[in-house]
Amino acid sequence: MIDEALSAVEKAGVKLQIGFNRRFDPNFRKVRQMVADGSIGRPHLLRITSRDPAPPPVEYVRVSGGIFFDMTIHDFDMARFQIGAEVEEIYVAGGVLVDPKIGEAGDIDTAVITLRLPWRDWYD
């Protein structure tokens, strides 16, 4: 899918920008600044919890691309943004714990994800 988008951009001769809205939230930006300037010390663990107030309609789940493309992609980006590094490894455990219809649609509704980012010079 991304290759098709990049091909269309190249063919059209236009610029492409991908933006994650949380990066523009003043609270998230403040945390990023505190990590970057060292005012909170050395980050060893970043915990992000995301949940919706209710499960999405199954009709939406069928076309959303799944929990990872639809929802957790924002958490992945936020981890990269806050720490200022790229993810090296991902560990995931997931299941259908809230709404069986989501499982019937081929997705999961609950996931625990650990992202391993590189140790930085500040850990030495």
Side-chain angles (χ1 to χ4, degrees):
M1 181 185 256
I2 188 64
D3 290 336
E4 293 172 17
L6 292 174
S7 177
V9 166
E10 185 175 340
K11 183 177 178 180
V14 297
K15 294 182 180 184
L16 172 68
Q17 176 180 349
I18 298 177
F20 286 97
N21 59 325
R22 293 181 188 174
R23 289 181 178 224
F24 301 97
D25 179 283
N27 294 312
F28 288 120
R29 293 180 67 81
K30 174 73 174 173
V31 172
R32 172 65 189 127
Q33 184 59 45
M34 293 169 68
V35 170
D37 68 21
S39 64
I40 63 166
R42 297 177 180 178
H44 296 278
L45 179 70
L46 171 67
R47 180 178 176 179
I48 299 172
T49 302
S50 295
R51 51 176 71 91
D52 285 333
V58 72
E59 296 78 21
Y60 177 76
V61 171
R62 288 189 184 114
V63 298
S64 72
I67 192 172
F68 299 110
F69 286 134
D70 179 49
M71 185 175 167
T72 57
I73 189 75
H74 294 282
D75 300 321
F76 295 161
D77 180 66
M78 192 47 39
R80 296 169 53 239
F81 177 64
Q82 294 297 353
I83 300 301
E86 295 299 323
V87 175
E88 291 184 340
E89 294 181 60
I90 301 175
Y91 306 90
V92 178
V96 180
L97 304 177
V98 178
D99 187 347
K101 292 179 184 176
I102 291 175
E104 292 167 12
D107 200 4
I108 61 175
D109 59 28
T110 304
V112 176
I113 305 165
T114 300
L115 304 176
R116 189 174 71 73
L117 291 93
W119 293 106
R120 304 283 303 256
D121 292 339
W122 59 57
Y123 292 106
D124 295 333

mmCIF file of all heavy atoms in Angstrom, residues 55-95:
data_model
loop_
_atom_site.group_PDB
_atom_site.id
_atom_site.type_symbol
_atom_site.label_atom_id
_atom_site.label_comp_id
_atom_site.label_asym_id
_atom_site.label_seq_id
_atom_site.Cartn_x
_atom_site.Cartn_y
_atom_site.Cartn_z
ATOM 1 N N PRO A 55 -15.734 -0.286 22.136
ATOM 2 C CA PRO A 55 -15.214 -0.913 20.913
ATOM 3 C C PRO A 55 -15.796 -0.243 19.669
ATOM 4 O O PRO A 55 -16.951 0.199 19.688
ATOM 5 C CB PRO A 55 -15.702 -2.359 21.017
ATOM 6 C CG PRO A 55 -16.007 -2.576 22.459
ATOM 7 C CD PRO A 55 -16.440 -1.235 22.984
ATOM 8 N N PRO A 56 -15.021 -0.193 18.603
ATOM 9 C CA PRO A 56 -15.551 0.382 17.362
ATOM 10 C C PRO A 56 -16.589 -0.562 16.757
ATOM 11 O O PRO A 56 -16.574 -1.770 17.024
ATOM 12 C CB PRO A 56 -14.313 0.492 16.469
ATOM 13 C CG PRO A 56 -13.390 -0.563 16.976
ATOM 14 C CD PRO A 56 -13.643 -0.653 18.449
ATOM 15 N N PRO A 57 -17.469 -0.033 15.915
ATOM 16 C CA PRO A 57 -18.424 -0.910 15.228
ATOM 17 C C PRO A 57 -17.682 -1.920 14.352
ATOM 18 O O PRO A 57 -16.650 -1.601 13.753
ATOM 19 C CB PRO A 57 -19.246 0.049 14.362
ATOM 20 C CG PRO A 57 -18.950 1.422 14.874
ATOM 21 C CD PRO A 57 -17.625 1.362 15.562
ATOM 22 N N VAL A 58 -18.199 -3.131 14.275
ATOM 23 C CA VAL A 58 -17.525 -4.176 13.506
ATOM 24 C C VAL A 58 -17.406 -3.790 12.030
ATOM 25 O O VAL A 58 -16.450 -4.181 11.361
ATOM 26 C CB VAL A 58 -18.221 -5.544 13.705
ATOM 27 C CG1 VAL A 58 -19.569 -5.594 12.995
ATOM 28 C CG2 VAL A 58 -17.316 -6.670 13.268
ATOM 29 N N GLU A 59 -18.342 -2.999 11.521
ATOM 30 C CA GLU A 59 -18.258 -2.535 10.131
ATOM 31 C C GLU A 59 -16.988 -1.714 9.926
ATOM 32 O O GLU A 59 -16.346 -1.788 8.882
ATOM 33 C CB GLU A 59 -19.489 -1.697 9.752
ATOM 34 C CG GLU A 59 -20.797 -2.446 9.775
ATOM 35 C CD GLU A 59 -21.366 -2.644 11.187
ATOM 36 O OE1 GLU A 59 -20.986 -1.902 12.117
ATOM 37 O OE2 GLU A 59 -22.179 -3.566 11.352
ATOM 38 N N TYR A 60 -16.638 -0.916 10.916
ATOM 39 C CA TYR A 60 -15.411 -0.123 10.846
ATOM 40 C C TYR A 60 -14.182 -1.020 10.950
ATOM 41 O O TYR A 60 -13.208 -0.844 10.216
ATOM 42 C CB TYR A 60 -15.387 0.941 11.950
ATOM 43 C CG TYR A 60 -14.107 1.732 11.955
ATOM 44 C CD1 TYR A 60 -13.881 2.712 11.004
ATOM 45 C CD2 TYR A 60 -13.112 1.466 12.882
ATOM 46 C CE1 TYR A 60 -12.693 3.419 10.978
ATOM 47 C CE2 TYR A 60 -11.915 2.173 12.863
ATOM 48 C CZ TYR A 60 -11.718 3.148 11.920
ATOM 49 O OH TYR A 60 -10.538 3.837 11.890
ATOM 50 N N VAL A 61 -14.215 -1.983 11.848
ATOM 51 C CA VAL A 61 -13.080 -2.885 12.051
ATOM 52 C C VAL A 61 -12.728 -3.587 10.744
ATOM 53 O O VAL A 61 -11.553 -3.749 10.419
ATOM 54 C CB VAL A 61 -13.389 -3.911 13.164
ATOM 55 C CG1 VAL A 61 -12.312 -4.974 13.238
ATOM 56 C CG2 VAL A 61 -13.550 -3.205 14.507
ATOM 57 N N ARG A 62 -13.731 -3.975 9.989
ATOM 58 C CA ARG A 62 -13.500 -4.707 8.735
ATOM 59 C C ARG A 62 -12.713 -3.903 7.705
ATOM 60 O O ARG A 62 -12.052 -4.482 6.849
ATOM 61 C CB ARG A 62 -14.840 -5.136 8.139
ATOM 62 C CG ARG A 62 -15.509 -6.242 8.890
ATOM 63 C CD ARG A 62 -16.729 -6.778 8.136
ATOM 64 N NE ARG A 62 -17.392 -7.774 8.928
ATOM 65 C CZ ARG A 62 -18.609 -7.640 9.440
ATOM 66 N NH1 ARG A 62 -19.313 -6.531 9.202
ATOM 67 N NH2 ARG A 62 -19.138 -8.593 10.166
ATOM 68 N N VAL A 63 -12.768 -2.582 7.767
ATOM 69 C CA VAL A 63 -12.090 -1.745 6.759
ATOM 70 C C VAL A 63 -10.974 -0.876 7.345
ATOM 71 O O VAL A 63 -10.321 -0.140 6.613
ATOM 72 C CB VAL A 63 -13.112 -0.846 6.014
ATOM 73 C CG1 VAL A 63 -14.127 -1.689 5.267
ATOM 74 C CG2 VAL A 63 -13.790 0.128 6.965
ATOM 75 N N SER A 64 -10.743 -0.962 8.647
ATOM 76 C CA SER A 64 -9.806 -0.051 9.311
ATOM 77 C C SER A 64 -8.336 -0.414 9.117
ATOM 78 O O SER A 64 -7.468 0.392 9.387
ATOM 79 C CB SER A 64 -10.101 -0.013 10.807
ATOM 80 O OG SER A 64 -9.702 -1.237 11.414
ATOM 81 N N GLY A 65 -8.073 -1.627 8.707
ATOM 82 C CA GLY A 65 -6.691 -2.079 8.617
ATOM 83 C C GLY A 65 -6.236 -2.784 9.877
ATOM 84 O O GLY A 65 -5.125 -3.283 9.952
ATOM 85 N N GLY A 66 -7.089 -2.798 10.885
ATOM 86 C CA GLY A 66 -6.772 -3.509 12.116
ATOM 87 C C GLY A 66 -6.255 -2.586 13.206
ATOM 88 O O GLY A 66 -5.925 -1.424 12.977
ATOM 89 N N ILE A 67 -6.193 -3.114 14.396
ATOM 90 C CA ILE A 67 -5.820 -2.330 15.580
ATOM 91 C C ILE A 67 -4.453 -1.658 15.431
ATOM 92 O O ILE A 67 -4.262 -0.539 15.873
ATOM 93 C CB ILE A 67 -5.877 -3.197 16.860
ATOM 94 C CG1 ILE A 67 -5.778 -2.323 18.117
ATOM 95 C CG2 ILE A 67 -4.817 -4.273 16.846
ATOM 96 C CD1 ILE A 67 -6.021 -3.080 19.415
ATOM 97 N N PHE A 68 -3.525 -2.323 14.760
ATOM 98 C CA PHE A 68 -2.179 -1.756 14.665
ATOM 99 C C PHE A 68 -2.118 -0.592 13.679
ATOM 100 O O PHE A 68 -1.478 0.426 13.945
ATOM 101 C CB PHE A 68 -1.159 -2.837 14.315
ATOM 102 C CG PHE A 68 -1.095 -3.908 15.369
ATOM 103 C CD1 PHE A 68 -1.573 -5.179 15.112
ATOM 104 C CD2 PHE A 68 -0.586 -3.627 16.623
ATOM 105 C CE1 PHE A 68 -1.536 -6.153 16.097
ATOM 106 C CE2 PHE A 68 -0.551 -4.594 17.618
ATOM 107 C CZ PHE A 68 -1.028 -5.863 17.347
ATOM 108 N N PHE A 69 -2.778 -0.716 12.530
ATOM 109 C CA PHE A 69 -2.790 0.384 11.558
ATOM 110 C C PHE A 69 -3.695 1.519 12.004
ATOM 111 O O PHE A 69 -3.439 2.677 11.713
ATOM 112 C CB PHE A 69 -3.243 -0.099 10.178
ATOM 113 C CG PHE A 69 -2.217 -0.895 9.447
ATOM 114 C CD1 PHE A 69 -2.557 -2.078 8.829
ATOM 115 C CD2 PHE A 69 -0.907 -0.471 9.357
ATOM 116 C CE1 PHE A 69 -1.609 -2.830 8.147
ATOM 117 C CE2 PHE A 69 0.053 -1.211 8.678
ATOM 118 C CZ PHE A 69 -0.320 -2.396 8.074
ATOM 119 N N ASP A 70 -4.770 1.184 12.674
ATOM 120 C CA ASP A 70 -5.764 2.180 13.020
ATOM 121 C C ASP A 70 -5.448 2.925 14.310
ATOM 122 O O ASP A 70 -5.608 4.135 14.380
ATOM 123 C CB ASP A 70 -7.138 1.505 13.149
ATOM 124 C CG ASP A 70 -8.217 2.485 13.532
ATOM 125 O OD1 ASP A 70 -8.308 3.545 12.893
ATOM 126 O OD2 ASP A 70 -8.969 2.190 14.476
ATOM 127 N N MET A 71 -4.975 2.222 15.326
ATOM 128 C CA MET A 71 -4.839 2.845 16.636
ATOM 129 C C MET A 71 -3.402 2.875 17.152
ATOM 130 O O MET A 71 -2.873 3.931 17.468
ATOM 131 C CB MET A 71 -5.723 2.107 17.640
ATOM 132 C CG MET A 71 -5.761 2.719 19.006
ATOM 133 S SD MET A 71 -6.955 1.811 19.998
ATOM 134 C CE MET A 71 -6.554 2.419 21.602
ATOM 135 N N THR A 72 -2.771 1.736 17.225
ATOM 136 C CA THR A 72 -1.459 1.704 17.876
ATOM 137 C C THR A 72 -0.356 2.352 17.059
ATOM 138 O O THR A 72 0.699 2.664 17.605
ATOM 139 C CB THR A 72 -1.053 0.267 18.271
ATOM 140 O OG1 THR A 72 -1.057 -0.547 17.112
ATOM 141 C CG2 THR A 72 -1.981 -0.297 19.307
ATOM 142 N N ILE A 73 -0.603 2.614 15.788
ATOM 143 C CA ILE A 73 0.394 3.333 14.994
ATOM 144 C C ILE A 73 0.712 4.678 15.639
ATOM 145 O O ILE A 73 1.844 5.148 15.612
ATOM 146 C CB ILE A 73 -0.086 3.495 13.526
ATOM 147 C CG1 ILE A 73 1.048 4.036 12.655
ATOM 148 C CG2 ILE A 73 -1.309 4.383 13.423
ATOM 149 C CD1 ILE A 73 2.088 3.036 12.319
ATOM 150 N N HIS A 74 -0.293 5.290 16.267
ATOM 151 C CA HIS A 74 -0.075 6.572 16.949
ATOM 152 C C HIS A 74 0.802 6.390 18.190
ATOM 153 O O HIS A 74 1.630 7.243 18.501
ATOM 154 C CB HIS A 74 -1.412 7.206 17.326
ATOM 155 C CG HIS A 74 -2.216 7.595 16.134
ATOM 156 N ND1 HIS A 74 -1.967 8.733 15.401
ATOM 157 C CD2 HIS A 74 -3.249 6.973 15.523
ATOM 158 C CE1 HIS A 74 -2.814 8.800 14.391
ATOM 159 N NE2 HIS A 74 -3.604 7.750 14.437
ATOM 160 N N ASP A 75 0.631 5.274 18.884
ATOM 161 C CA ASP A 75 1.469 4.997 20.055
ATOM 162 C C ASP A 75 2.906 4.693 19.627
ATOM 163 O O ASP A 75 3.854 5.113 20.291
ATOM 164 C CB ASP A 75 0.897 3.826 20.857
ATOM 165 C CG ASP A 75 -0.506 4.122 21.358
ATOM 166 O OD1 ASP A 75 -0.764 5.270 21.763
ATOM 167 O OD2 ASP A 75 -1.342 3.200 21.338
ATOM 168 N N PHE A 76 3.064 3.954 18.529
ATOM 169 C CA PHE A 76 4.413 3.679 18.020
ATOM 170 C C PHE A 76 5.117 4.997 17.698
ATOM 171 O O PHE A 76 6.277 5.202 18.044
ATOM 172 C CB PHE A 76 4.365 2.818 16.759
ATOM 173 C CG PHE A 76 3.829 1.431 16.947
ATOM 174 C CD1 PHE A 76 3.375 0.710 15.863
ATOM 175 C CD2 PHE A 76 3.770 0.826 18.196
ATOM 176 C CE1 PHE A 76 2.887 -0.579 16.007
ATOM 177 C CE2 PHE A 76 3.274 -0.455 18.362
ATOM 178 C CZ PHE A 76 2.837 -1.150 17.264
ATOM 179 N N ASP A 77 4.411 5.886 17.015
ATOM 180 C CA ASP A 77 5.014 7.175 16.682
ATOM 181 C C ASP A 77 5.318 7.975 17.933
ATOM 182 O O ASP A 77 6.355 8.631 18.013
ATOM 183 C CB ASP A 77 4.109 7.986 15.755
ATOM 184 C CG ASP A 77 4.751 9.325 15.425
ATOM 185 O OD1 ASP A 77 5.805 9.336 14.758
ATOM 186 O OD2 ASP A 77 4.232 10.363 15.884
ATOM 187 N N MET A 78 4.434 7.941 18.913
ATOM 188 C CA MET A 78 4.657 8.726 20.128
ATOM 189 C C MET A 78 5.887 8.219 20.874
ATOM 190 O O MET A 78 6.664 9.019 21.395
ATOM 191 C CB MET A 78 3.418 8.685 21.022
ATOM 192 C CG MET A 78 3.432 9.678 22.146
ATOM 193 S SD MET A 78 3.885 11.424 21.784
ATOM 194 C CE MET A 78 3.143 11.793 20.221
ATOM 195 N N ALA A 79 6.104 6.925 20.904
ATOM 196 C CA ALA A 79 7.307 6.389 21.552
ATOM 197 C C ALA A 79 8.562 6.895 20.835
ATOM 198 O O ALA A 79 9.517 7.346 21.474
ATOM 199 C CB ALA A 79 7.272 4.865 21.562
ATOM 200 N N ARG A 80 8.550 6.847 19.510
ATOM 201 C CA ARG A 80 9.687 7.327 18.726
ATOM 202 C C ARG A 80 9.916 8.810 18.967
ATOM 203 O O ARG A 80 11.047 9.272 19.116
ATOM 204 C CB ARG A 80 9.440 7.086 17.235
ATOM 205 C CG ARG A 80 9.338 5.644 16.851
ATOM 206 C CD ARG A 80 8.831 5.429 15.413
ATOM 207 N NE ARG A 80 9.600 6.185 14.453
ATOM 208 C CZ ARG A 80 9.078 7.113 13.639
ATOM 209 N NH1 ARG A 80 7.804 7.400 13.660
ATOM 210 N NH2 ARG A 80 9.852 7.742 12.787
ATOM 211 N N PHE A 81 8.837 9.567 18.983
ATOM 212 C CA PHE A 81 8.913 11.018 19.175
ATOM 213 C C PHE A 81 9.433 11.367 20.567
ATOM 214 O O PHE A 81 10.337 12.186 20.710
ATOM 215 C CB PHE A 81 7.529 11.629 18.954
ATOM 216 C CG PHE A 81 7.443 13.107 19.199
ATOM 217 C CD1 PHE A 81 8.139 13.999 18.418
ATOM 218 C CD2 PHE A 81 6.641 13.595 20.213
ATOM 219 C CE1 PHE A 81 8.046 15.366 18.639
ATOM 220 C CE2 PHE A 81 6.539 14.959 20.446
ATOM 221 C CZ PHE A 81 7.242 15.850 19.656
ATOM 222 N N GLN A 82 8.875 10.752 21.585
ATOM 223 C CA GLN A 82 9.255 11.096 22.956
ATOM 224 C C GLN A 82 10.712 10.746 23.257
ATOM 225 O O GLN A 82 11.423 11.520 23.885
ATOM 226 C CB GLN A 82 8.335 10.402 23.978
ATOM 227 C CG GLN A 82 6.911 10.866 23.931
ATOM 228 C CD GLN A 82 6.734 12.330 24.286
ATOM 229 O OE1 GLN A 82 7.647 13.019 24.692
ATOM 230 N NE2 GLN A 82 5.531 12.825 24.128
ATOM 231 N N ILE A 83 11.147 9.595 22.816
ATOM 232 C CA ILE A 83 12.508 9.147 23.117
ATOM 233 C C ILE A 83 13.511 9.686 22.103
ATOM 234 O O ILE A 83 14.684 9.833 22.389
ATOM 235 C CB ILE A 83 12.569 7.613 23.210
ATOM 236 C CG1 ILE A 83 11.634 7.118 24.319
ATOM 237 C CG2 ILE A 83 13.989 7.119 23.421
ATOM 238 C CD1 ILE A 83 11.954 7.661 25.708
ATOM 239 N N GLY A 84 13.064 9.987 20.905
ATOM 240 C CA GLY A 84 13.965 10.522 19.889
ATOM 241 C C GLY A 84 14.827 9.455 19.242
ATOM 242 O O GLY A 84 15.977 9.708 18.890
ATOM 243 N N ALA A 85 14.264 8.263 19.089
ATOM 244 C CA ALA A 85 15.006 7.152 18.486
ATOM 245 C C ALA A 85 14.034 6.245 17.741
ATOM 246 O O ALA A 85 12.826 6.294 17.976
ATOM 247 C CB ALA A 85 15.754 6.366 19.560
ATOM 248 N N GLU A 86 14.583 5.423 16.881
ATOM 249 C CA GLU A 86 13.767 4.484 16.116
ATOM 250 C C GLU A 86 13.655 3.147 16.844
ATOM 251 O O GLU A 86 14.584 2.717 17.523
ATOM 252 C CB GLU A 86 14.360 4.269 14.721
ATOM 253 C CG GLU A 86 14.343 5.512 13.864
ATOM 254 C CD GLU A 86 12.941 6.044 13.597
ATOM 255 O OE1 GLU A 86 12.008 5.226 13.419
ATOM 256 O OE2 GLU A 86 12.776 7.269 13.568
ATOM 257 N N VAL A 87 12.538 2.496 16.661
ATOM 258 C CA VAL A 87 12.280 1.191 17.267
ATOM 259 C C VAL A 87 13.165 0.136 16.608
ATOM 260 O O VAL A 87 13.286 0.094 15.381
ATOM 261 C CB VAL A 87 10.791 0.814 17.104
ATOM 262 C CG1 VAL A 87 10.518 -0.593 17.604
ATOM 263 C CG2 VAL A 87 9.911 1.833 17.811
ATOM 264 N N GLU A 88 13.774 -0.713 17.429
ATOM 265 C CA GLU A 88 14.609 -1.800 16.915
ATOM 266 C C GLU A 88 13.894 -3.154 16.933
ATOM 267 O O GLU A 88 14.139 -3.984 16.078
ATOM 268 C CB GLU A 88 15.902 -1.900 17.720
ATOM 269 C CG GLU A 88 16.829 -0.727 17.493
ATOM 270 C CD GLU A 88 18.146 -0.878 18.211
ATOM 271 O OE1 GLU A 88 18.244 -1.662 19.177
ATOM 272 O OE2 GLU A 88 19.104 -0.199 17.800
ATOM 273 N N GLU A 89 13.073 -3.370 17.933
ATOM 274 C CA GLU A 89 12.346 -4.640 18.040
ATOM 275 C C GLU A 89 10.968 -4.388 18.629
ATOM 276 O O GLU A 89 10.784 -3.449 19.402
ATOM 277 C CB GLU A 89 13.077 -5.628 18.952
ATOM 278 C CG GLU A 89 14.416 -6.090 18.410
ATOM 279 C CD GLU A 89 15.072 -7.094 19.348
ATOM 280 O OE1 GLU A 89 14.481 -8.156 19.590
ATOM 281 O OE2 GLU A 89 16.159 -6.778 19.845
ATOM 282 N N ILE A 90 10.022 -5.252 18.250
ATOM 283 C CA ILE A 90 8.660 -5.165 18.764
ATOM 284 C C ILE A 90 8.255 -6.549 19.261
ATOM 285 O O ILE A 90 8.464 -7.548 18.573
ATOM 286 C CB ILE A 90 7.667 -4.715 17.676
ATOM 287 C CG1 ILE A 90 8.065 -3.354 17.114
ATOM 288 C CG2 ILE A 90 6.248 -4.707 18.215
ATOM 289 C CD1 ILE A 90 7.211 -2.898 15.948
ATOM 290 N N TYR A 91 7.675 -6.580 20.445
ATOM 291 C CA TYR A 91 7.123 -7.803 21.024
ATOM 292 C C TYR A 91 5.643 -7.545 21.281
ATOM 293 O O TYR A 91 5.294 -6.531 21.886
ATOM 294 C CB TYR A 91 7.818 -8.148 22.340
ATOM 295 C CG TYR A 91 9.317 -8.236 22.221
ATOM 296 C CD1 TYR A 91 10.112 -7.107 22.418
ATOM 297 C CD2 TYR A 91 9.932 -9.447 21.890
ATOM 298 C CE1 TYR A 91 11.498 -7.180 22.302
ATOM 299 C CE2 TYR A 91 11.319 -9.521 21.773
ATOM 300 C CZ TYR A 91 12.088 -8.385 21.977
ATOM 301 O OH TYR A 91 13.449 -8.462 21.859
ATOM 302 N N VAL A 92 4.783 -8.459 20.828
ATOM 303 C CA VAL A 92 3.342 -8.244 20.935
ATOM 304 C C VAL A 92 2.653 -9.497 21.430
ATOM 305 O O VAL A 92 2.967 -10.608 20.997
ATOM 306 C CB VAL A 92 2.737 -7.865 19.564
ATOM 307 C CG1 VAL A 92 1.225 -7.682 19.673
ATOM 308 C CG2 VAL A 92 3.384 -6.630 18.990
ATOM 309 N N ALA A 93 1.700 -9.300 22.332
ATOM 310 C CA ALA A 93 0.750 -10.337 22.718
ATOM 311 C C ALA A 93 -0.620 -9.705 22.594
ATOM 312 O O ALA A 93 -0.849 -8.594 23.079
ATOM 313 C CB ALA A 93 0.999 -10.808 24.147
ATOM 314 N N GLY A 94 -1.537 -10.367 21.910
ATOM 315 C CA GLY A 94 -2.851 -9.775 21.719
ATOM 316 C C GLY A 94 -3.928 -10.824 21.685
ATOM 317 O O GLY A 94 -3.661 -12.026 21.546
ATOM 318 N N GLY A 95 -5.146 -10.372 21.837
ATOM 319 C CA GLY A 95 -6.277 -11.277 21.794
ATOM 320 C C GLY A 95 -7.577 -10.512 21.721
ATOM 321 O O GLY A 95 -7.611 -9.290 21.681
#
